[in-house]
Amino acid sequence: MAPQLPPLCDPAFEAFLADVLLVGPDPTSPPMEAATPPEEDTSASPPPPLSAAPADEAAAERRLRRKISNRESARRSRARKQRHLEELRARAARLRAGNRELVGRLRGVQARATLLRLTNARLRAEAGALARRLAAAQRAIALRQIYAATASAAGGSFELQAFASLSSLIV
């Protein structure tokens, strides 16, 4: 008699294996419902003949286990790929949100920089006007000092021509 395989989860698949490998159902497994005829599987190798040697049965069992293992490995690989894709999508969403935040911050900084440039230009113009007023005030003070010094030295008489020549030196 053929060796018994460990019970599988799917009773229909177990029935298919029982038909193909001539293995009886596991007595510990729950009773199966009426088995449906196995679907046509074009990728499966043809069932071994009834007079197959034990070596052929072992090879068929190894092929079947390898096929099951490959399917499970492919399923795990697809699940890993799906998880990776979901992680990449989540990361892309986080990066887009971060980008939107940075763009908003950049606009705020640019607006503040524009405001500071305008304020700086206004203050520079005001500083220039104040510097001109200060220079004019300094000239007026210097002229008053010269006038006072000249008037006291000349005994109070100050010639207009001398004043004009002195004021041209200061300006």
Side-chain angles (χ1 to χ4, degrees), residues 41-45 67 71:
D41 188 5
T42 57
S43 65
S45 60
K67 184 186 285 188
R71 285 180 183 162

Side-chain angles (χ1 to χ4, degrees), residues 16-155:
F16 169 74
L17 290 178
D19 289 343
V20 170
L21 297 176
L22 302 174
V23 175
D26 187 16
T28 61
S29 66
M32 293 188 294
E33 299 171 6
T36 57
E39 295 180 12
E40 203 56 43
D41 188 5
T42 57
S43 65
S45 60
L50 294 179
S51 63
D56 288 343
E57 286 181 15
E61 184 178 335
R62 282 193 304 272
R63 278 194 304 271
L64 180 64
R65 288 187 187 277
R66 189 169 49 245
K67 184 186 285 188
I68 292 170
S69 174
N70 288 346
R71 285 180 183 162
E72 185 62 26
S73 176
R75 186 192 64 75
R76 285 190 308 266
S77 177
R78 285 189 300 272
R80 255 192 326 272
K81 185 177 179 181
Q82 185 65 30
R83 279 192 308 273
H84 182 65
L85 183 61
E86 289 170 3
E87 289 170 5
L88 289 176
R89 285 179 178 155
R91 183 176 177 205
R94 284 191 310 271
L95 289 174
R96 278 193 294 273
N99 191 28
R100 282 190 300 272
E101 178 189 346
L102 289 175
V103 165
R105 288 174 54 189
L106 176 63
R107 286 185 182 143
V109 168
Q110 287 173 335
R112 283 191 296 274
T114 301
L115 180 62
L116 290 174
R117 278 194 291 277
L118 291 172
T119 304
N120 194 19
R122 182 183 54 81
L123 290 174
R124 283 181 190 270
E126 188 178 322
L130 290 174
R132 288 188 296 277
R133 283 179 62 190
L134 178 62
Q138 287 173 338
R139 281 193 304 272
I141 291 171
L143 283 175
R144 281 187 187 171
Q145 288 172 348
I146 292 171
Y147 177 71
T150 308
S152 66

